[in-house]
PDB file of all heavy atoms in Angstrom:
ATOM      1  N   VAL A  54     132.721 112.046  50.759  1.00 86.00           N
ATOM      2  CA  VAL A  54     132.582 112.464  49.408  1.00 86.00           C
ATOM      3  C   VAL A  54     132.975 113.950  49.241  1.00 86.00           C
ATOM      4  O   VAL A  54     132.436 114.740  50.008  1.00 86.00           O
ATOM      5  CB  VAL A  54     131.130 112.206  48.831  1.00 86.00           C
ATOM      6  CG1 VAL A  54     131.037 112.684  47.421  1.00 86.00           C
ATOM      7  CG2 VAL A  54     130.782 110.815  48.919  1.00 86.00           C
ATOM      8  N   PHE A  55     133.830 114.260  48.253  1.00 88.00           N
ATOM      9  CA  PHE A  55     134.355 115.649  48.012  1.00 88.00           C
ATOM     10  C   PHE A  55     134.028 115.999  46.624  1.00 88.00           C
ATOM     11  O   PHE A  55     134.306 115.305  45.730  1.00 88.00           O
ATOM     12  CB  PHE A  55     135.892 115.700  48.290  1.00 88.00           C
ATOM     13  CG  PHE A  55     136.284 115.381  49.680  1.00 88.00           C
ATOM     14  CD1 PHE A  55     136.479 114.067  49.972  1.00 88.00           C
ATOM     15  CD2 PHE A  55     136.571 116.289  50.575  1.00 88.00           C
ATOM     16  CE1 PHE A  55     136.972 113.710  51.290  1.00 88.00           C
ATOM     17  CE2 PHE A  55     136.933 116.058  51.887  1.00 88.00           C
ATOM     18  CZ  PHE A  55     137.156 114.736  52.246  1.00 88.00           C
ATOM     19  N   PHE A  56     133.512 117.208  46.493  1.00 84.00           N
ATOM     20  CA  PHE A  56     133.364 117.847  45.149  1.00 84.00           C
ATOM     21  C   PHE A  56     134.309 119.061  45.069  1.00 84.00           C
ATOM     22  O   PHE A  56     134.169 119.965  45.873  1.00 84.00           O
ATOM     23  CB  PHE A  56     131.925 118.269  44.865  1.00 84.00           C
ATOM     24  CG  PHE A  56     130.904 117.191  44.633  1.00 84.00           C
ATOM     25  CD1 PHE A  56     129.602 117.500  44.534  1.00 84.00           C
ATOM     26  CD2 PHE A  56     131.301 115.975  44.339  1.00 84.00           C
ATOM     27  CE1 PHE A  56     128.666 116.491  44.355  1.00 84.00           C
ATOM     28  CE2 PHE A  56     130.492 114.907  44.078  1.00 84.00           C
ATOM     29  CZ  PHE A  56     129.011 115.265  44.092  1.00 84.00           C
ATOM     30  N   ASP A  57     135.301 118.957  44.235  1.00 86.00           N
ATOM     31  CA  ASP A  57     136.289 120.052  44.068  1.00 86.00           C
ATOM     32  C   ASP A  57     136.977 120.427  45.444  1.00 86.00           C
ATOM     33  O   ASP A  57     137.120 121.577  45.807  1.00 86.00           O
ATOM     34  CB  ASP A  57     135.712 121.400  43.481  1.00 86.00           C
ATOM     35  CG  ASP A  57     135.996 121.511  42.041  1.00 86.00           C
ATOM     36  OD1 ASP A  57     136.700 120.541  41.535  1.00 86.00           O
ATOM     37  OD2 ASP A  57     135.655 122.554  41.427  1.00 86.00           O
ATOM     38  N   GLY A  58     137.282 119.316  46.096  1.00 89.00           N
ATOM     39  CA  GLY A  58     138.034 119.496  47.442  1.00 89.00           C
ATOM     40  C   GLY A  58     137.208 119.870  48.530  1.00 89.00           C
ATOM     41  O   GLY A  58     137.624 119.933  49.701  1.00 89.00           O
ATOM     42  N   GLU A  59     135.924 120.113  48.359  1.00 85.00           N
ATOM     43  CA  GLU A  59     134.933 120.482  49.398  1.00 85.00           C
ATOM     44  C   GLU A  59     134.143 119.293  49.947  1.00 85.00           C
ATOM     45  O   GLU A  59     133.572 118.571  49.017  1.00 85.00           O
ATOM     46  CB  GLU A  59     134.008 121.546  48.877  1.00 85.00           C
ATOM     47  CG  GLU A  59     133.045 122.141  49.843  1.00 85.00           C
ATOM     48  CD  GLU A  59     133.529 123.496  50.336  1.00 85.00           C
ATOM     49  OE1 GLU A  59     134.370 124.155  49.800  1.00 85.00           O
ATOM     50  OE2 GLU A  59     132.858 123.947  51.324  1.00 85.00           O
ATOM     51  N   LEU A  60     134.229 119.010  51.145  1.00 86.00           N
ATOM     52  CA  LEU A  60     133.454 117.881  51.678  1.00 86.00           C
ATOM     53  C   LEU A  60     131.955 118.059  51.489  1.00 86.00           C
ATOM     54  O   LEU A  60     131.447 119.022  51.948  1.00 86.00           O
ATOM     55  CB  LEU A  60     133.752 117.743  53.175  1.00 86.00           C
ATOM     56  CG  LEU A  60     133.021 116.577  53.896  1.00 86.00           C
ATOM     57  CD1 LEU A  60     133.379 115.238  53.387  1.00 86.00           C
ATOM     58  CD2 LEU A  60     133.228 116.708  55.380  1.00 86.00           C
ATOM     59  N   VAL A  61     131.355 117.114  50.853  1.00 82.00           N
ATOM     60  CA  VAL A  61     129.904 117.173  50.529  1.00 82.00           C
ATOM     61  C   VAL A  61     129.206 116.461  51.854  1.00 82.00           C
ATOM     62  O   VAL A  61     128.213 116.989  52.374  1.00 82.00           O
ATOM     63  CB  VAL A  61     129.498 116.430  49.280  1.00 82.00           C
ATOM     64  CG1 VAL A  61     127.984 116.227  49.213  1.00 82.00           C
ATOM     65  CG2 VAL A  61     130.095 117.054  48.121  1.00 82.00           C
ATOM     66  N   LYS A  90     125.282 120.771  52.527  1.00 65.00           N
ATOM     67  CA  LYS A  90     126.227 121.641  52.100  1.00 65.00           C
ATOM     68  C   LYS A  90     126.369 121.949  50.513  1.00 65.00           C
ATOM     69  O   LYS A  90     126.741 122.897  50.168  1.00 65.00           O
ATOM     70  CB  LYS A  90     127.616 121.165  52.684  1.00 65.00           C
ATOM     71  CG  LYS A  90     128.725 122.108  52.768  1.00 65.00           C
ATOM     72  CD  LYS A  90     129.963 121.476  53.434  1.00 65.00           C
ATOM     73  CE  LYS A  90     130.970 122.541  53.582  1.00 65.00           C
ATOM     74  NZ  LYS A  90     132.223 122.033  54.198  1.00 65.00           N
ATOM     75  N   LEU A  98     129.197 125.182  41.353  1.00 74.00           N
ATOM     76  CA  LEU A  98     129.662 123.931  40.783  1.00 74.00           C
ATOM     77  C   LEU A  98     129.102 123.582  39.366  1.00 74.00           C
ATOM     78  O   LEU A  98     129.755 123.034  38.590  1.00 74.00           O
ATOM     79  CB  LEU A  98     129.209 122.738  41.759  1.00 74.00           C
ATOM     80  CG  LEU A  98     129.947 122.700  43.093  1.00 74.00           C
ATOM     81  CD1 LEU A  98     129.317 121.700  44.002  1.00 74.00           C
ATOM     82  CD2 LEU A  98     131.434 122.334  42.932  1.00 74.00           C
ATOM     83  N   LYS A 101     130.978 125.252  36.424  1.00 83.00           N
ATOM     84  CA  LYS A 101     132.266 124.615  35.978  1.00 83.00           C
ATOM     85  C   LYS A 101     131.972 123.499  34.952  1.00 83.00           C
ATOM     86  O   LYS A 101     131.107 122.700  35.229  1.00 83.00           O
ATOM     87  CB  LYS A 101     133.023 124.115  37.177  1.00 83.00           C
ATOM     88  CG  LYS A 101     133.483 125.206  38.175  1.00 83.00           C
ATOM     89  CD  LYS A 101     134.184 124.534  39.294  1.00 83.00           C
ATOM     90  CE  LYS A 101     134.589 125.723  40.244  1.00 83.00           C
ATOM     91  NZ  LYS A 101     135.348 125.205  41.409  1.00 83.00           N
ATOM     92  N   ILE A 104     134.476 119.149  37.500  1.00 87.00           N
ATOM     93  CA  ILE A 104     135.029 119.217  38.868  1.00 87.00           C
ATOM     94  C   ILE A 104     135.735 117.869  39.101  1.00 87.00           C
ATOM     95  O   ILE A 104     135.560 116.918  38.462  1.00 87.00           O
ATOM     96  CB  ILE A 104     133.789 119.514  39.908  1.00 87.00           C
ATOM     97  CG1 ILE A 104     132.994 118.307  40.063  1.00 87.00           C
ATOM     98  CG2 ILE A 104     133.149 120.803  39.684  1.00 87.00           C
ATOM     99  CD1 ILE A 104     132.109 118.219  41.258  1.00 87.00           C
ATOM    100  N   GLN A 105     136.509 117.963  40.253  1.00 91.00           N
ATOM    101  CA  GLN A 105     137.144 116.713  40.704  1.00 91.00           C
ATOM    102  C   GLN A 105     136.270 116.027  41.787  1.00 91.00           C
ATOM    103  O   GLN A 105     136.001 116.693  42.747  1.00 91.00           O
ATOM    104  CB  GLN A 105     138.634 117.049  41.272  1.00 91.00           C
ATOM    105  CG  GLN A 105     139.349 115.788  41.507  1.00 91.00           C
ATOM    106  CD  GLN A 105     139.867 115.082  40.246  1.00 91.00           C
ATOM    107  OE1 GLN A 105     139.725 115.600  39.154  1.00 91.00           O
ATOM    108  NE2 GLN A 105     140.030 113.780  40.442  1.00 91.00           N
ATOM    109  N   LEU A 106     135.875 114.862  41.427  1.00 87.00           N
ATOM    110  CA  LEU A 106     135.064 114.086  42.376  1.00 87.00           C
ATOM    111  C   LEU A 106     135.993 113.099  43.119  1.00 87.00           C
ATOM    112  O   LEU A 106     136.793 112.457  42.516  1.00 87.00           O
ATOM    113  CB  LEU A 106     134.015 113.254  41.711  1.00 87.00           C
ATOM    114  CG  LEU A 106     133.303 112.231  42.483  1.00 87.00           C
ATOM    115  CD1 LEU A 106     132.301 112.786  43.561  1.00 87.00           C
ATOM    116  CD2 LEU A 106     132.406 111.273  41.516  1.00 87.00           C
ATOM    117  N   LYS A 107     135.967 113.075  44.466  1.00 91.00           N
ATOM    118  CA  LYS A 107     136.816 112.223  45.268  1.00 91.00           C
ATOM    119  C   LYS A 107     135.995 111.529  46.283  1.00 91.00           C
ATOM    120  O   LYS A 107     135.208 112.112  46.994  1.00 91.00           O
ATOM    121  CB  LYS A 107     137.936 113.004  45.848  1.00 91.00           C
ATOM    122  CG  LYS A 107     138.859 112.220  46.694  1.00 91.00           C
ATOM    123  CD  LYS A 107     140.065 113.060  47.098  1.00 91.00           C
ATOM    124  CE  LYS A 107     140.307 113.171  48.497  1.00 91.00           C
ATOM    125  NZ  LYS A 107     141.492 113.948  48.809  1.00 91.00           N
ATOM    126  N   GLU A 128     139.169 108.827  42.696  1.00 92.00           N
ATOM    127  CA  GLU A 128     139.113 110.185  42.145  1.00 92.00           C
ATOM    128  C   GLU A 128     138.809 110.157  40.625  1.00 92.00           C
ATOM    129  O   GLU A 128     139.411 109.244  40.027  1.00 92.00           O
ATOM    130  CB  GLU A 128     140.406 110.973  42.341  1.00 92.00           C
ATOM    131  CG  GLU A 128     140.611 111.350  43.824  1.00 92.00           C
ATOM    132  CD  GLU A 128     141.801 112.240  44.037  1.00 92.00           C
ATOM    133  OE1 GLU A 128     141.653 113.434  43.540  1.00 92.00           O
ATOM    134  OE2 GLU A 128     142.815 111.805  44.558  1.00 92.00           O
TER     135      GLU A 128
END
Side-chain angles (χ1 to χ4, degrees):
V54 179
F55 299 84
F56 286 169
D57 257 4
E59 184 103 13
L60 178 66
V61 174
K90 198 171 183 183
L98 290 171
K101 297 179 180 183
I104 65 162
Q105 190 65 20
L106 168 67
K107 180 167 125 180
E128 290 188 67

